Each structure stands twice: as C-alpha cells, then as structure tokens.
Amino acid sequence: MKHCKLCDLEVKTTSSICPLCYSPLENVEGEETFNPWQSANDIKTEKIKFGLAFKICFFLSLIAISVSIYANVMTRTPAWSAIVGLSILYVWVLVLHTIKSRDNVFRKAFFNIGIILALLFVTNHVFGTSDWLTSYVYPSLAMLVGLALSINLIASKRRKHYVFSFFCLLLLMLIVSAIILIFKLDPFKVLNQICLIALGLLLGSYLIFAWRTILEETSKKLHL
C-alpha cells in the first residue's frame, strides 16, 4: 500500500504516481517510493539535453512561422500562414503534452482531438469552404469516438477504472454538438441532431449502469 499526501488516501498500486492527482506516492511505512531515474546526475544530464533541443526546435519553429507569414503577406493570398503556425503549435503540444506528460491517456486523446478540430476550424475559415467541418466531420467523429469508447468499455475487464473518463469525454462532445446547433453553425443540422441523440443515449446508459462509480470518481477528483 502507498499513501498520497494530497488526496490523503492509501492506494494499492506498484506505481510511484497517484492515479487521481498524479503526485508522488509514499509507502505506508514512510519510505520513499522507487525513483525511475538512477541518480541526480542522470536527471541533470537529461535536463541539459532536453533544454538544448528545446531551444533549437523553438528557434527553427520561429523561423518557419516568420518565413510563412512573410511569404503570405508578399503573395497576398489567403492567410494560410495561420494554418502553418497552428500546425507547428500542434507539434509542440504533441511533444510536450502527449509524449512527455504523464497525464491520463484518455485526457491526452481528448486534448489531441480538440487541437485537431481547432486546426480544421481555422482551415475551414481561412479558405472559405463550406461548413463541412461542423456539419459532417465533427458529428461523425464524435459518434465514432463514442461508439469506440463504449465498445472498449464493455470489453474491458477494468471498466470501472475507465467509466468516469469516458463519461466526461462523451459529455464534452455532446456539449460541443449542442453549441453548434444553438449558435446555428451547422446549416445541415441532421448529423449533429443524430449525434446529440446518440451521445445522450450513451450517457444515459452510463448513468443507469454505473452511476455509483461515476459519483464516487467525481468525489475523488474534486476531493469532496
């Protein structure tokens, strides 16, 4: 058993990180948990290498963005440099948040979906195309993700550990579809309406079959 000072809970795990707040865990006896790095020198060397690579990549990113903006202004074309800048930003997010971060895998997935959708929104706006993103891409993607998560939840033996994250993700996707319809961002409407119904049914099934788990996890996450 290990103890989390922040959550004030004992956790039965072999991990050195709390599954709720991601802070370091301590053994119940008070001993320090296993350190994945062998020594302080290894940590210092890793930080130096990462810092140098960070500076080089950041400098190259600034050059790429500056050149694209200059070319965009000189050619007087639609603002495609914004897409270049957002794409470079997404690469940084992918490295720093998704690869380097120890955050929950489902929150990583949701964050990446959000960034990709934002990039598609900008592309749609810059080039003045039809509202294909809000009318077709997003609702189709949301229903596909909802179905995939639910099938994975049913098949998983650890479904109790995943149900809260899946529930939050489905709820956020439903809210986005509702916003699209409320603010009339979708002239087609049909797919977003179907998406609302489908996600609403999935959320209802989660509440019927796992409401106690969702309530317990909400209390733990908010430290209630």
Side-chain angles (χ1 to χ4, degrees):
M1 296 290 289
K2 297 183 180 181
H3 182 260
C4 175
K5 288 185 178 180
L6 183 60
C7 300
D8 195 22
L9 293 172
E10 290 187 357
V11 184
K12 187 177 181 180
T13 180
T14 57
S15 173
S16 60
I17 302 298
C18 176
L20 298 178
C21 64
Y22 306 102
S23 60
L25 289 173
E26 293 183 352
N27 290 335
V28 174
E29 295 79 11
E31 298 178 0
E32 293 185 358
T33 56
F34 171 72
N35 189 346
W37 294 275
Q38 293 181 353
S39 65
N41 289 331
D42 294 335
I43 298 176
K44 185 176 181 180
T45 302
E46 183 180 347
K47 286 183 177 180
I48 292 174
K49 290 181 178 179
F50 179 75
L52 179 61
F54 180 91
K55 291 176 182 178
I56 293 173
C57 292
F58 184 74
F59 180 69
L60 293 176
S61 299
L62 288 178
I63 291 176
I65 293 173
S66 301
V67 170
S68 63
I69 292 175
Y70 177 77
N72 198 174
V73 172
M74 294 303 293
T75 55
R76 297 181 181 180
T77 52
W80 52 267
S81 56
I83 300 171
V84 175
L86 283 174
S87 300
I88 293 174
L89 176 63
Y90 175 66
V91 173
W92 278 100
V93 170
L94 187 66
V95 173
L96 297 178
H97 179 267
T98 306
I99 298 175
K100 297 289 291 184
S101 172
R102 296 180 181 178
D103 201 357
N104 184 283
V105 64
F106 302 108
R107 278 190 279 195
K108 289 181 180 181
F110 175 75
F111 194 78
N112 278 275
I113 290 172
I115 293 293
I116 293 171
L117 286 174
L119 184 58
L120 290 173
F121 268 114
V122 173
T123 305
N124 188 41
H125 178 73
V126 168
F127 290 100
T129 55
S130 61
D131 297 321
W132 54 272
L133 177 62
T134 54
S135 300
Y136 305 104
V137 176
Y138 175 76
S140 301
L141 178 63
M143 286 188 285
L144 181 63
V145 170
L147 180 62
L149 290 179
S150 300
I151 293 174
N152 186 31
L153 188 66
I154 294 171
S156 175
K157 294 181 180 180
R158 303 185 63 193
R159 61 179 63 91
K160 188 176 181 180
H161 299 277
Y162 300 147
V163 64
F164 178 78
S165 299
F166 289 0
F167 179 84
C168 292
L169 185 55
L170 292 179
L171 181 61
L172 287 171
M173 290 191 298
L174 181 142
I175 291 172
V176 171
S177 270
I179 290 173
I180 289 173
L181 290 173
I182 291 171
F183 290 95
K184 299 179 180 180
L185 301 175
D186 176 12
F188 184 58
K189 296 183 180 180
V190 175
L191 275 180
N192 271 296
Q193 291 172 348
I194 295 174
C195 181
L196 276 179
I197 295 172
L199 294 180
L201 290 173
L202 286 175
L203 287 170
S205 66
Y206 279 43
L207 290 174
I208 291 172
F209 295 104
W211 68 272
R212 190 180 297 277
T213 302
I214 293 172
L215 185 62
E216 290 175 356
E217 289 297 316
T218 303
S219 300
K220 290 178 182 178
K221 299 294 183 185
L222 299 178
H223 299 287
L224 298 177

